[in-house]
Amino acid sequence: MRVALLFAVVPAAQQSERESALSWPRLRRTPDALVSISQPHVDDCNGASVRGKVAIEVSGLRGVPDFRGTANFVGDASLDRAQRTVRIGPITVPALRVETAPEHAEAANKALSSALAGVTLTVAFDDLMAVMRTVAFPDPSPLPNCSGTQSVVMLQVNDPAPTDGTIAVRWVGAPAFETVIEGRLEGAVNCSSILFREPSGRHLLLHAGRWLEARQIAATQWQWIASDAVPAVLMEVSETSKWGNALASVPGSLPSRIAELARQLASPVPAPSDPQCGGGDWWWNPWSLQWVAACTKPLAAAPSDEPVDRTATPRDIRDDAEAFHPDAVRDNLLVGLDGRVYRRSGDSFEQSTPANGWRPFTIDRSVLRILRAESIARDAAAAARRTWKNWRMHDAGMKPESRCDRSASLGSRPLRTNQFLGAAAPPAPKDP
């Protein structure tokens, strides 16, 4: 089955407005108060719903001092792959912690519940999973194991492709390897597939999201490896190396957890089926958040997976009093392990006080360590979002049309370092 990457060019002004609408914190004015929410902290995501915490600020509530606090939230989750966003909602608030006198808690809870009642938030995918702890990701659901052996043939880039389902690994010249992990793992640098070699002589081939092994590179029959028996050494492959995208197929690695999250999230447009055991190669595209077959061509389409109601009258979000809007003035607050509210101040952090002020926070090393890690993760999420936009602009023009193997899709696999691999693909054969 062939898969199409669906993208469309969005005018710069519209794209800029859309991106700003995804920023944090976000503000909503209700008849009773002004409510601000910061970037969510996710405690659990099971593929159908998201549960977590948000830092809040509420002001203007009659008879109640301005206050900060944390709110637990629960909402259904829906993934829009084309825009790399997740819609969460409608949101409910099962618990609220406010840093005010107890007599104000009921009024504060009512104001917050009113502001969030029935609201659906659109969150950048990277923002959502930026501060997800390991236990928050869905339980692993690896691709179904392939059993037995698989025919594999080593070919040069211009050799005819086999037609009997045999896996073809194409080389440019003689096989060449470089060190991946000193003394423990080498990687092929001039072939169409990800291929590793251990000092013992065992070779590990990635095909269609699964691993095969053989004792000799020239073996014609390779053995499939069960998902729970993938060699542990593969966990140590650097994500920014030329073999980094193999990690999406290494159970337990962060890229594999992110792939699982994207696979299991519900979506108005279902993802393509998982790759089959034999036949053509597939790879996980961390930017389109789906499995992609070699030689897949991007097609112009609607810029979103979400159904479009073309009969509805367009509304300017800035004039919509019922929506949360980006707030460029307030801080994007954090929720600490202790449930308190914090903000970043340069390279340090401050803790919210019951009097709605801030004080330097230096006393709890474990809380500080997590705050620093989560701040770095938020910055990394913003960088990933920028890289995704860069990939989307380049993807359509970087795939050769004259060859149909894994190398032909190299242009669509940017590294985390924002480098695109199109130039590394072997040259397409010339017409006779």
Side-chain angles (χ1 to χ4, degrees), residues 12 32 44 114 116 128 158 197 203 216 222 233 250 275 303 404:
D32 300 319
D44 179 67
S114 174
L116 291 174
L128 182 70
N158 293 331
R197 181 172 66 188
H203 291 74
Q216 297 181 0
W222 291 57
V233 68
V250 180
C404 195

Side-chain angles (χ1 to χ4, degrees), residues 16 71 76 83 93 105 123 135 189 229 265 318 362:
S16 176
D76 295 337
Q83 288 302 314
V93 182
V123 183
V135 295
V189 295
L265 280 171
R318 292 167 297 183
T362 58

Side-chain angles (χ1 to χ4, degrees), residues 11 17 22 26 71 171 188 192 243 278 290-291 305 327 408:
E17 183 175 347
L22 294 175
R26 299 183 193 175
W171 296 86
S192 61
W243 302 277
Q290 62 187 21
W291 287 102
D305 287 349
D327 184 356

Side-chain angles (χ1 to χ4, degrees), residues 372-392:
R372 291 192 182 101
E374 293 186 346
S375 295
I376 292 171
R378 284 182 172 186
D379 292 341
R385 181 76 180 177
R386 291 193 296 269
T387 305
W388 166 76
K389 290 192 290 181
N390 192 6
W391 166 79
R392 190 173 68 165

Side-chain angles (χ1 to χ4, degrees), residues 40-55:
H41 294 246
V42 178
D43 296 328
D44 179 67
C45 181
N46 62 16
S49 65
V50 172
R51 178 173 57 85
K53 300 180 182 69
V54 291

Side-chain angles (χ1 to χ4, degrees), residues 131-288:
V131 295
M132 287 178 64
R133 298 177 179 86
T134 300
V135 295
F137 285 93
D139 293 334
S141 177
L143 299 177
N145 287 328
C146 302
S147 60
T149 59
Q150 177 73 47
S151 298
V152 178
V153 62
M154 303 292 160
L155 302 175
Q156 288 296 299
V157 68
N158 293 331
D159 291 339
T163 59
D164 58 358
T166 298
I167 296 173
V169 179
R170 297 182 178 277
W171 296 86
V172 181
F177 290 80
E178 290 181 359
T179 296
V180 180
I181 301 173
E182 186 68 36
R184 301 174 62 197
L185 195 68
E186 295 179 316
V189 295
N190 62 333
C191 75
S192 61
S193 302
I194 288 185
L195 179 66
F196 293 116
R197 181 172 66 188
E198 294 182 321
S200 65
R202 180 170 71 157
H203 291 74
L204 303 166
L205 172 65
L206 178 62
H207 182 83
R210 304 167 179 86
W211 295 93
L212 302 102
E213 64 176 352
R215 289 296 170 182
Q216 297 181 0
I217 196 172
T220 57
Q221 295 294 316
W222 291 57
Q223 183 75 34
W224 290 104
I225 302 174
S227 59
D228 59 356
V230 173
V233 68
L234 297 181
M235 285 280 289
E236 302 177 39
V237 175
S238 171
E239 189 178 353
T240 58
S241 74
K242 64 184 68 176
W243 302 277
N245 67 321
L247 289 169
S249 298
V250 180
S253 69
L254 178 59
S256 75
R257 292 184 184 279
I258 295 172
E260 283 298 319
L261 175 64
R263 285 178 64 215
Q264 294 191 36
L265 280 171
S267 176
V269 178
S273 300
D274 290 333
Q276 303 301 308
C277 294
D281 197 7
W282 296 62
W283 48 272
W284 176 259
N285 188 325
W287 307 108
S288 64

